[in-house]
Amino acid sequence: MDCMEMLSKGIHRVLVPLDSNIENITGPELVESASAYAMLAQMDLISFFLDRSSELHGILSHTVTHLSAIHNTVLALTSQARVKDAIKCMSTEMLNAVPIVEASTEEEDHKQLVDGKNRRVLGTFSASDLKGCHLATLRSWLPLNALDFVEKIPRTPLFTAATSTPGRELVTCHVTSTLAQVIHMVTTKRVHRVWVVNQNDRLQGLVSLTDIIATVRSALLSGAQDL
């Protein structure tokens, strides 16, 4: 629960001391005297939830809407945005990934992030898309359309084999999806967020690893208080 508290606040990984002489620690703290540490990431904790799905069935069987697990505000790129503008906007807003949504009008400012709600999701632009891209090559691609970059560039031999992801899949869930279904998606697809869409495939929000951990922790605490 202590680790869940930290990881539910957006911290992606924590160090866990494997050997400590300190007893009765009531909260998370760095134990400098420990001889070794292990790294616990958000994905590790999510996988743990999946392994304990039978014990957490009362929580995981509810929909993400019922559990209020959906982050409703989603900044997005339009389908006309350029790679250089995507990088600049994400850096300014300190975002690791944003959805690419259908542009509404030609007059829309495609150099800025927009409210993506109720727009059709076409793809995801992530900082991980830039891995394996040589700097000189990236500079030549900055004017490209961000959606074209996501769909076509990772297939080129200019990306290393370890980081190339041909046919990157768009991972979405529905407002009626259960938390168990979303956890299965993030663990099997190895993504850090899932875009939430309605019955018309229009963007309604997102569920991130942080949201999942916060939701499970809140439900566990509520259950403990009810006992």
Side-chain angles (χ1 to χ4, degrees), residues 128-139:
S128 61
D129 291 330
L130 306 178
K131 291 181 180 179
C133 178
H134 301 292
L135 182 58
T137 304
L138 177 59
R139 285 173 176 164

Side-chain angles (χ1 to χ4, degrees), residues 5-49:
E5 181 182 6
M6 287 188 292
L7 296 175
S8 68
K9 295 178 180 178
I11 297 174
H12 291 175
R13 54 192 64 84
V14 294
L15 285 174
V16 181
L18 299 181
D19 179 26
S20 172
N21 296 322
I22 299 178
E23 298 180 355
N24 301 320
I25 296 177
T26 58
E29 60 181 82
L30 180 62
V31 184
E32 295 182 356
S33 61
S35 59
Y37 294 89
M39 184 73 74
L40 178 69
Q42 285 184 322
M43 188 65 77
D44 297 325
L45 196 53
I46 300 296
S47 298
F48 177 79
F49 294 159

Side-chain angles (χ1 to χ4, degrees), residues 12-13 83 87 90 96-97 124-138 141 149-150 152-166 168 190-193:
H12 291 175
R13 54 192 64 84
V83 171
I87 295 174
M90 290 170 64
N96 292 322
T124 301
F125 190 93
S126 171
S128 61
D129 291 330
L130 306 178
K131 291 181 180 179
C133 178
H134 301 292
L135 182 58
T137 304
L138 177 59
W141 287 340
F149 176 86
V150 170
K152 299 176 182 178
I153 299 305
R155 299 190 182 104
T156 71
L158 294 176
F159 275 72
T160 63
T163 57
S164 182
T165 53
R168 184 182 298 275
R190 306 303 295 179
V191 294
H192 289 180
R193 63 199 56 78

Side-chain angles (χ1 to χ4, degrees), residues 105-118:
T105 63
E106 290 294 333
E107 292 75 23
E108 189 171 34
D109 186 358
H110 305 298
K111 295 183 179 181
Q112 303 294 328
L113 295 177
V114 299
D115 182 359
K117 195 158 187 177
N118 292 318

Side-chain angles (χ1 to χ4, degrees), residues 32-153:
E32 295 182 356
S33 61
S35 59
Y37 294 89
M39 184 73 74
L40 178 69
Q42 285 184 322
M43 188 65 77
D44 297 325
L45 196 53
I46 300 296
S47 298
F48 177 79
F49 294 159
L50 188 62
D51 291 340
R52 299 295 189 275
S53 57
S54 59
E55 300 166 41
L56 296 172
H57 179 74
I59 299 172
L60 305 186
S61 61
H62 288 293
T63 68
V64 288
T65 303
H66 176 82
L67 292 169
S68 300
I70 301 174
H71 195 86
N72 294 312
T73 302
V74 185
L75 295 176
L77 295 168
T78 74
S79 54
Q80 300 301 315
R82 303 295 177 182
V83 171
K84 61 180 180 180
D85 298 318
I87 295 174
K88 181 179 179 180
C89 289
M90 290 170 64
S91 175
T92 300
E93 297 294 334
M94 293 186 292
L95 297 172
N96 292 322
V98 290
I100 302 174
V101 298
E102 196 171 40
S104 59
T105 63
E106 290 294 333
E107 292 75 23
E108 189 171 34
D109 186 358
H110 305 298
K111 295 183 179 181
Q112 303 294 328
L113 295 177
V114 299
D115 182 359
K117 195 158 187 177
N118 292 318
R119 297 203 194 190
R120 189 162 66 92
V121 187
L122 304 176
T124 301
F125 190 93
S126 171
S128 61
D129 291 330
L130 306 178
K131 291 181 180 179
C133 178
H134 301 292
L135 182 58
T137 304
L138 177 59
R139 285 173 176 164
S140 69
W141 287 340
L142 291 178
L144 290 181
N145 180 284
L147 187 59
D148 289 340
F149 176 86
V150 170
E151 293 180 344
K152 299 176 182 178
I153 299 305

